[in-house]
Amino acid sequence: MTRLAIVTGSTRPHRRGRAVADWVLTTARKAASEGVEVELVDLADFALPVLDEPAPAAWGVYAHEHTRRWSEAIAAFDGYVFVTPEYNHGVPGPLKNATDHLYAEWHHKAVGFVGYGVNGGVRAVEQLRQIAAELKLADVGPQVALSTYTDFDYTGVDLTDPTVTGVFAPDERHADDLAALLDEVTVWSRALAPVRDRSEREPAAAHS
Ligand SMILES: Cc1cc2nc3c(=O)[nH]c(=O)nc-3n(C[C@H](O)[C@H](O)[C@H](O)COP(=O)(O)O)c2cc1C
């Protein structure tokens, strides 16, 4: 069994991220071949505080129940799709904080990125690719870049109301990008299984 998680990158009330993540989840479940399971991992359900562990995650020793819960959730998967907005030209704080809470749980797994923002969230995704390298997450090339202008429908919406996000209506051209991304995340998640097995047998020395 290959298990994939769709991970939300934002947690704020009235975020656009959940609608995007639900679209990725539905598409991934439809596309999933035999032996592939896809689940949503919504950061908002974990209420992680700003990193408060005394030891670096590379030690794998967690003092807090919220970290152990997050660790168990992430360790259960072989690959991930991060659904991320761009905040101030970079990675949103909640997602960076969530990645920093863990270390070995991410190792030798695959990750793909669905970004959204004024320019498709591309600057956040570029930063996440650097972070992925340190976490030994193999990032796949295909990427989805959604526009908060053209991939949401604001018909009849009061744009001065901060609780209104518009209705997510992705342009159909994104379907091919998402299909390619999901295919590569699946293939790489499977291909890295022997590497994960090897590192379970021979754990690397912790670094600080
Ligand atoms: C703190 C903050 C910073 C933002 N900075 C950017 C930015 O640099 N580039 C961009 O394209 N959009 C930016 N936006 C707009 C977001 O793309 C838009 O609000 C999006 O819906 C955020 O994702 P969320 O609704 O899931 O939180 C920013 C939004 C917030 C809340």
Side-chain angles (χ1 to χ4, degrees):
M1 180 63 64
T2 301
R3 301 196 72 222
L4 306 181
I6 313 303
V7 182
T8 59
S10 62
T11 55
R12 69 192 183 97
H14 310 297
R15 62 195 158 146
R16 289 190 175 85
R18 182 58 194 254
V20 179
D22 285 342
W23 170 69
V24 176
L25 176 68
T26 306
T27 309
R29 283 187 168 160
K30 275 191 201 146
S33 50
E34 210 181 314
V36 178
E37 257 181 29
V38 192
E39 301 293 336
L40 182 74
V41 173
D42 190 341
L43 275 189
D45 294 337
F46 290 83
L48 287 171
V50 174
L51 183 62
D52 61 350
E53 284 291 336
W59 291 21
V61 180
Y62 301 131
H64 300 299
E65 179 54 30
H66 51 252
T67 313
R68 288 193 288 271
R69 194 172 154 245
W70 176 235
S71 165
E72 270 172 37
I74 290 303
F77 294 97
D78 306 301
Y80 311 93
V81 179
F82 285 2
V83 176
T84 185
E86 177 178 296
Y87 284 176
N88 295 313
H89 289 200
V91 179
L95 183 55
K96 179 66 167 71
N97 184 51
T99 58
D100 291 345
H101 269 78
L102 308 180
Y103 191 62
E105 294 83 346
W106 302 113
H107 285 185
H108 310 305
K109 299 177 179 178
V111 64
F113 300 103
V114 173
Y116 56 97
V118 178
N119 296 302
V122 292
R123 289 165 289 223
V125 171
E126 284 304 299
Q127 292 182 3
L128 282 163
R129 290 185 186 280
Q130 293 183 359
I131 293 163
E134 172 57 14
L135 295 173
K136 301 183 189 176
L137 269 168
D139 57 321
V140 304
Q143 177 172 332
V144 179
L146 299 159
S147 164
T148 45
Y149 286 127
T150 57
D151 292 309
F152 285 79
D153 182 359
Y154 299 100
T155 309
V157 157
D158 173 6
L159 292 172
T160 63
D161 179 350
T163 69
V164 164
T165 56
V167 176
F168 182 50
D171 188 283
E172 59 187 37
R173 74 193 165 85
H174 298 300
D176 286 348
D177 291 338
L178 182 55
L181 181 160
L182 291 166
D183 181 54
E184 290 224 7
V185 169
T186 305
V187 167
W188 277 97
S189 298
R190 279 198 184 123
L192 288 166
V195 187
R196 289 193 291 277
D197 289 348
R198 191 190 66 179
S199 53
E200 270 166 31
R201 285 196 308 273
E202 307 158 14
H207 79 196
S208 52

